[in-house]
Amino acid sequence: MVTYLDAEAAPLKNTGQIRLHGPESFAGMRKASNLTARCLDTLVDMVQPGVTTNEIDRFVFEFGADNGAIPATLNYRGYTKSSCTSINHVVCHGIPNDKPLRDGDIVNIDVTYILDGWHGDSSRMYPVGRVKRAAERLMEVTHECLMRGIAAVRPGARTGAIGAAIQTYAEAERCSVVRDFCGHGLGRLFHDAPNILHYGSPSEGVEMQPGMMFTIEPMINLGRPHVKVLSDGWTAVTRDRSLTAQYEHTVGVTADGCEVFTLSPAGLDRPGLQAA
Ligand code: MF3
Ligand code: CO
Ligand code: CO
């Protein structure tokens, strides 16, 4: 049995119960998420052939520091970077390093800032220089998956409706949905209940209610859905080394749908792609 509880009254640990947040929490999430979005906006011009992911990571740290925010990934379960940078066949949790980005790469940059205790979690794909049409198409399909998932968010529907919308579209486009990672509740916690699966059916999952906050972050592959984690304990790659993409937004459920907290104020939600 799933239970819901008043976020303000609840203990600050993931107990599996679902927090319902009030207006002050929405205001806090708006601020944290907007900072994350502005960081991802600034990275659009920085992502070029020759730039290293460590340079990007340093920028993420500094931009946060300049704005009173700390990256949530820093020292999270032994992770030591301010961002995740996942290139080409890396599905997620790529660790920034000193290798320069190369013309034709596609890279996901995932940033979560903690501002006044609230978590704003978002990621986008960035093409490096000129990329192949197949890579561009995968990014377009994946962004559309995210937006269709978001469109399925409304009180009364189950979280499975999000996964169903994503899986249906991805597979119609002859792509596959990664099963090993999911979206998550968040707020004052980084990873909280419920899990948001990016596949499944509308009758599955928990019923959405106004005040819930969570991420939707589909990982979509051009090849098969299977992934493996490298010996560094973090880097997840496609087993068949096929190209993979991901976009992530943080949303809050409202009376009639949801508010997307991490939307780009500059309209740069899909860097390098035609405006949707
Ligand atoms: N930001 C990622 C997410 O979308 C989580 C990264 S955890 C890390 O949930 F430790 F790998 F950074
Ligand atoms: Co997330
Ligand atoms: Co993220």
Side-chain angles (χ1 to χ4, degrees):
M1 227 339 246
V2 54
T3 56
Y4 302 85
L5 73 181
D6 182 346
E8 267 79 302
L12 208 61
K13 60 176 202 275
N14 184 349
T15 57
Q17 291 163 301
I18 294 169
R19 280 162 229 276
L20 301 180
H21 295 267
E24 299 84 12
S25 314
F26 271 61
M29 288 296 281
R30 228 168 260 143
K31 276 181 75 177
S33 300
N34 180 258
L35 189 66
T36 298
R38 290 197 293 118
C39 173
L40 295 178
D41 284 353
T42 307
L43 289 173
V44 172
D45 287 331
M46 187 173 173
V47 176
Q48 298 288 345
V51 172
T52 71
T53 46
N54 264 341
E55 288 166 342
I56 290 167
D57 191 70
R58 171 170 294 274
F59 173 81
V60 172
F61 179 81
E62 301 286 345
F63 185 88
D66 291 346
N67 289 281
I70 294 284
T73 55
L74 208 53
N75 304 315
Y76 177 79
R77 297 175 183 239
Y79 195 82
T80 61
K81 299 287 179 173
S82 299
S83 61
C84 297
T85 53
S86 303
I87 303 168
N88 297 336
H89 70 293
V90 178
V91 172
C92 64
H93 303 163
I95 305 170
N97 62 26
D98 287 320
K99 267 189 246 150
L101 293 171
R102 296 165 54 159
D103 187 62
D105 285 344
I106 58 171
V107 57
N108 174 279
I109 306 177
D110 191 337
V111 174
T112 307
Y113 282 129
I114 310 174
L115 185 62
D116 301 331
W118 299 102
H119 290 74
D121 187 3
S122 185
S123 79
R124 301 179 197 162
M125 296 303 299
Y126 296 78
V128 181
R130 253 189 85 87
V131 307
K132 290 208 172 87
R133 179 58 197 147
E136 204 170 79
R137 190 183 80 89
L138 175 63
M139 293 191 289
E140 281 166 352
V141 167
T142 306
H143 188 266
E144 182 64 19
C145 282
L146 172 58
M147 298 319 284
R148 287 183 183 223
I150 289 171
V153 175
R154 58 174 179 80
R158 292 184 176 271
T159 54
I162 301 168
I166 292 168
Q167 182 179 16
T168 300
Y169 183 73
E171 292 178 357
E173 294 292 326
R174 301 177 314 284
C175 295
S176 67
V177 179
V178 170
R179 310 292 204 268
D180 303 66
F181 302 96
C182 55
H184 48 92
L186 80 176
R188 289 197 176 275
L189 292 177
F190 188 8
H191 291 115
D192 199 359
N195 285 338
I196 305 296
L197 306 188
H198 303 117
Y199 60 93
S201 104
S203 62
E204 295 166 347
V206 299
E207 188 184 303
M208 291 181 265
Q209 295 197 13
M212 285 171 64
M213 298 168 169
F214 50 80
T215 72
I216 306 176
E217 47 183 300
M219 286 140 273
I220 306 296
N221 301 346
L222 274 186
R224 295 178 47 78
H226 310 103
V227 312
K228 67 176 180 195
V229 176
L230 301 186
S231 58
D232 61 24
W234 287 104
T235 312
V237 301
T238 54
R239 276 190 176 270
D240 63 7
R241 296 187 67 88
S242 68
L243 213 54
T244 179
Q246 178 181 30
Y247 292 81
E248 175 177 25
H249 275 312
T250 295
V251 308
V253 182
T254 59
D256 58 356
C258 71
E259 176 173 345
V260 183
F261 293 127
T262 43
L263 275 183
S264 165
L268 297 172
D269 291 296
R270 342 180 319 153
L273 302 178
Q274 304 283 30

